[in-house]
Amino acid sequence: MTAAYKRVALIGLGLIASSMAHAMRQFGLADEIVGHAKSAESRKIALEIGLCERVYATAAEAVQGADLVVLCVPVGAMGEIAAEIGPHLAAGATVTDVGSVKGAVVEAVAPHMPQGVHFIPGHPIAGTEHSGPRSGFATLFRNRWWLLTPLDGADRDAVARLRGLCEGMGANVDEMDVAHHDLVLAVTSHTPHLIAYTMVGVAEHMRRVSNSEVIKYSAGGFRDLTRIAASDPVMWRDVFLTNKDAVLDILGRFTEELFVLQRAIRMGDGEHLHAYFTRTRAIRRGIIEAGQDTSAPDFGRVPLGGGEGKT
Ligand code: NAP
């Protein structure tokens, strides 16, 4: 198979970058993979585990001669990196990113992209609660959606080539408008994370139940929320700071629904609760039918002691 790109520069060497490196290597999608991370420790690990052939102490050095540059840093760091690499990008190179928010990334990165460089924002809807260079794995993107949000006038050949890379790593690719992406993700990812953080925070603050009881008797619902609430604090801080409007919009709707349910509970309106939970159950079925989760009990989790369970 002909490699999609000759030299790929990964800026940031955490979960997403390392998963991309493993997948690109497994499927022969890049002749050479180089990288940069902020800390010497991450750069050292990346070399040790063979994530990159070479690592550089600065992003500016890493991007030189690369025909694809992937920004895999937290959303809040994208602008600073773009300003640094702008003057060092090769003519005709493609720059993409994997940030969870698109509007803020476009605003921060686009002004630093020189003429003749194709900036094509993107977002793989795939992840785990783990972070760092050791957390990646080649199958992370398999059967997951990778959203590309090309800007007006984007070079269609460059978009098609990037699409080919994402598909080569096993993802399904869709194109979407930047603002629409941020609203959709506020519903499907950002607000649910905020709710998980809040519920785990509530449990932590509860005085009547000791912490040990919260952990010892953690039932399915709470346990699943703790997994989400264990996600990287820097990444999620940046998501909420940069997708403010869409998250506040969805949070407003969430609060209204919560009050309606609260009232139904207070009034003993079982009919309302039953009808509501029946509708939400159908959404779960839809996700399973779309192949985005498993119907195995306990969300397909392998029982404790039963091997590695990555869900
Ligand atoms: P991660 O595992 O925490 O890795 C982040 C990497 O960025 C680290 O290597 C870190 O370097 C580096 N970094 C941070 N600030 C930097 C800076 N100023 N300059 C250079 N390197 C810097 O993060 P991740 O989960 O891969 O997330 C990366 C991006 O993917 C984020 O924008 C996130 O929104 C997006 N995303 C994440 C998920 C998910 O579930 N995790 C899913 C889809 C998209 P050090 O290791 O040296 O600190």
Side-chain angles (χ1 to χ4, degrees):
M1 183 185 201
T2 322
Y5 293 94
K6 287 194 168 57
R7 183 187 293 179
V8 177
L10 300 171
I11 308 302
L13 297 170
L15 169 72
I16 302 295
S18 57
S19 296
M20 286 186 73
H22 292 307
M24 287 190 289
R25 194 157 288 122
Q26 178 164 332
F27 301 114
L29 299 166
D31 286 339
E32 190 185 19
I33 302 170
V34 302
H36 159 76
K38 194 172 48 171
S39 68
E41 176 66 10
S42 290
R43 298 197 294 269
K44 186 171 139 256
I45 295 171
L47 279 184
E48 238 170 63
I49 64 175
L51 199 161
C52 306
E53 273 100 74
R54 272 170 294 123
V55 292
Y56 294 89
T58 67
E61 291 169 277
V63 303
Q64 284 173 28
D67 51 353
L68 177 67
V69 174
V70 191
L71 307 180
C72 305
V73 297
V75 170
M78 298 273 183
E80 175 199 329
I81 296 278
E84 181 190 337
I85 64 174
H88 304 276
L89 292 165
T94 290
V95 175
T96 188
D97 75 290
V98 296
S100 306
V101 176
K102 297 275 57 86
V105 169
V106 169
E107 217 173 277
V109 172
H112 301 290
M113 295 296 105
Q115 278 281 332
V117 164
H118 310 295
F119 173 46
I120 308 168
H123 177 203
I125 316 279
T128 75
E129 67 278 27
H130 299 294
S131 46
R134 291 191 199 278
S135 60
F137 52 103
T139 54
L140 178 66
F141 309 111
R142 188 188 289 163
N143 202 26
R144 297 285 170 217
W145 286 100
W146 198 307
L147 300 177
L148 297 178
T149 62
L151 309 178
D152 285 348
D155 182 297
R156 294 313 307 176
D157 289 342
V159 174
R161 196 170 164 204
L162 182 60
R163 173 185 272 268
L165 176 83
C166 302
E167 288 172 346
M169 291 187 284
N172 305 311
V173 178
D174 249 352
E175 288 185 30
M176 205 178 259
D177 163 77
V178 167
H180 189 63
H181 167 280
D182 287 355
L183 184 63
V184 170
L185 268 292
V187 178
T188 59
S189 169
H190 305 167
T191 311
H193 268 80
L194 196 71
I195 294 164
Y197 281 124
T198 314
M199 191 56 227
V200 175
V202 166
E204 195 211 350
H205 286 118
M206 253 179 69
R207 303 262 182 241
R208 278 173 299 151
V209 182
S210 78
N211 258 345
S212 62
E213 277 176 309
V214 168
I215 291 167
K216 186 169 163 191
Y217 302 124
S218 72
F222 182 68
R223 227 176 22 180
D224 286 329
L225 293 180
T226 60
R227 187 175 66 78
I228 298 172
S231 300
D232 189 73
V234 174
M235 168 186 160
W236 284 96
R237 176 201 64 195
D238 286 3
V239 166
F240 294 117
L241 292 180
T242 56
N243 199 18
K244 207 184 213 172
D245 293 346
V247 170
L248 289 178
D249 175 8
I250 303 306
L251 212 50
R253 292 165 196 247
F254 174 81
T255 316
E256 285 170 22
E257 297 270 324
L258 194 63
F259 280 139
V260 173
L261 287 178
Q262 193 176 334
R263 185 177 161 74
I265 293 169
R266 191 185 311 286
M267 305 304 283
D269 188 350
E271 219 171 288
H272 180 90
L273 295 174
H274 187 267
Y276 200 97
F277 300 158
T278 304
R279 287 202 305 277
T280 55
R281 194 176 222 191
I283 293 200
R284 171 80 191 153
R285 260 199 306 274
I287 291 172
I288 291 162
E289 276 160 24
Q292 296 301 305
D293 209 344
T294 164
S295 63
D298 204 8
F299 305 95
R301 194 178 272 123
V302 178
L304 282 179
E308 198 189 340
K310 199 152 235 164
T311 59

